Amino acid sequence: MASLDDGHGILAEPLDAGSFRQCLECGRWFALERIATATTDDGRKLETYRCKRCGAEFRFVDRHPDGAI
């Protein structure tokens, strides 16, 4: 899954948030827990994760946006 915050990707396949679950704020490994799942307007799966350590929240979609590399 790619983060919605950056809008661009450089990987051929988006990383799944559950693969490493490293918090992008505090850097703690295996700290993210899924708190919500929804669908975007264009039908992509949207998942929200929260860090168990610092409380930061992140949203991930199940594929890169159109036009991303």
Side-chain angles (χ1 to χ4, degrees):
M1 294 182 187
S3 173
L4 285 179
D5 297 331
D6 60 24
H8 296 90
I10 59 172
L11 301 174
E13 286 287 324
L15 290 175
D16 178 53
S19 299
F20 300 107
R21 300 191 313 257
Q22 182 181 16
C23 178
L24 302 173
E25 287 291 318
C26 70
R28 184 174 181 143
W29 289 93
F30 306 107
L32 298 183
E33 60 183 348
R34 185 175 33 223
I35 58 170
T37 302
T39 304
T40 62
D41 291 338
D42 60 358
R44 294 185 284 175
K45 183 177 169 186
L46 173 68
E47 294 181 325
T48 303
Y49 287 78
R50 180 181 297 137
C51 177
K52 293 183 273 188
R53 179 179 182 196
C54 72
E57 290 189 8
F58 306 96
R59 295 178 302 156
F60 296 90
V61 292
D62 65 352
R63 68 177 190 268
H64 287 304
D66 293 337
I69 298 174

